[in-house]
Amino acid sequence: MRRIYPDIQDNPDIVQAYAYPDGRPWLRLNMVASADGAAWLKGRSGGLSSSGDKRIFQILRGLADVVVAGASTVRKEGYGPVKPRESWTEIRAGRPEVPPIAVITRSLGFDLDNELFSADAISRTIVITCESAPHERRKELARHADVIVAGEETVDMCLAVAQLHERGLTRILCEGGPRVNAQLSACGLVDELCLSISPLLVGGGAARIQNGEPAQVRLDLSQVLEEEGVLFCRYTREQSR
């Protein structure tokens, strides 16, 4: 892997390249897309991924306090609890050995036999829902996960993020999907986008990395890495000039 912007460097330190800024909460989106903007191939993002994308994906998880994803993404991508990695020992010093998964859902339509809700998981899953979610289902789910109620009819993203912060989970990594990304952007909550661009043309009906609520968030290009034709772009929210 090499860095091609803002300077040229072979084999950059990936942990340092994606380090969080000190002293403030930070919400980072991490997505992969084809060259024509598709967020998935045959229904899943894995078809767009590469070995370099997988390495960065794991480092971003290791750096995060919590990994957030929408329920649809969790089901389609087959999420389980984050597993510890020996390479995270230093970057997670003073923190739990893995970040919890936080799932955003209104319906609470989960199979509670899924390993995400296993009592043996190192880090207890968080479920973020709203008041209108089925109450009996919410009570049942609370026996298997930490439940956050944020909002009335739908999940209020500002309240959800604030409640994660109250738990000390201030370095938030969101892995989608496109609707969750759009909601976070519309609320002005996104600080950074990490986007892997795969050298594929996909076409078809795949969504873009944001799909749903309109948003206009100006970004600065902070960094570009490259490996095997895949570009790894890091954008940060444009600061007032």
Side-chain angles (χ1 to χ4, degrees):
M1 188 171 290
R2 60 181 181 141
R3 180 159 51 222
I4 58 176
Y5 181 84
D7 58 6
I8 305 295
Q9 182 181 346
D10 290 330
N11 300 314
D13 182 331
I14 304 301
V15 171
Q16 184 59 41
Y18 286 95
Y20 282 88
D22 292 330
R24 59 154 295 183
W26 195 259
L27 193 150
R28 164 183 281 166
L29 305 183
N30 182 40
M31 296 294 290
V32 61
S34 66
D36 59 332
W40 58 67
L41 178 63
K42 298 179 180 178
R44 298 186 66 177
S45 63
L48 300 172
S49 191
S50 66
S51 59
D53 180 58
K54 290 180 174 68
R55 294 201 308 277
I56 290 174
F57 174 88
Q58 292 297 346
I59 287 170
L60 294 185
R61 281 189 160 196
L63 290 168
D65 291 334
V66 60
V67 177
V68 173
S72 178
T73 295
V74 166
R75 286 191 288 266
K76 287 180 180 177
E77 302 288 346
Y79 271 51
V82 179
K83 293 180 170 56
R85 303 176 72 87
E86 188 175 340
S87 60
W88 289 355
T89 302
E90 185 174 346
I91 63 175
R92 296 200 65 80
R95 296 185 294 163
E97 59 182 324
V98 298
I101 299 288
V103 187
I104 297 173
T105 175
R106 181 183 179 278
S107 68
L108 305 179
F110 294 113
D111 177 1
L112 294 180
D113 290 329
N114 185 293
E115 61 176 334
L116 261 181
F117 304 105
S118 169
D120 296 329
I122 294 173
S123 186
R124 189 172 166 91
T125 295
I126 299 169
V127 172
I128 302 173
T129 190
C130 55
E131 286 288 354
S132 64
H135 281 235
E136 289 303 315
R137 183 64 172 169
R138 194 200 309 172
K139 287 196 295 184
E140 182 183 12
L141 194 60
R143 295 197 293 268
H144 303 268
D146 292 340
V147 177
I148 290 175
V149 178
E152 297 294 329
E153 294 300 318
T154 60
V155 174
D156 183 317
M157 292 297 185
C158 291
L159 284 176
V161 168
Q163 291 201 44
L164 291 175
H165 289 173
E166 287 177 8
R167 292 167 176 249
L169 306 174
T170 59
R171 296 177 175 183
I172 299 173
L173 172 65
C174 180
E175 296 178 347
R179 289 192 178 278
V180 169
N181 293 344
Q183 291 166 2
L184 290 168
S185 291
C187 293
L189 295 169
V190 175
D191 297 298
E192 179 180 333
L193 167 65
C194 297
L195 178 62
S196 300
I197 303 175
S198 178
L200 289 174
L201 294 174
V202 172
R208 298 180 297 166
I209 64 167
Q210 293 204 153
N211 185 31
E213 294 187 43
Q216 187 170 335
V217 181
R218 297 190 64 85
L219 302 171
D220 288 319
L221 179 62
S222 301
Q223 175 179 266
V224 183
L225 308 180
E226 184 275 336
E227 183 179 86
E228 298 179 342
V230 182
L231 300 178
F232 306 98
C233 302
R234 184 180 181 188
Y235 299 91
T236 51
R237 186 163 58 181
E238 186 179 77
Q239 301 300 308
S240 299
R241 289 187 168 89

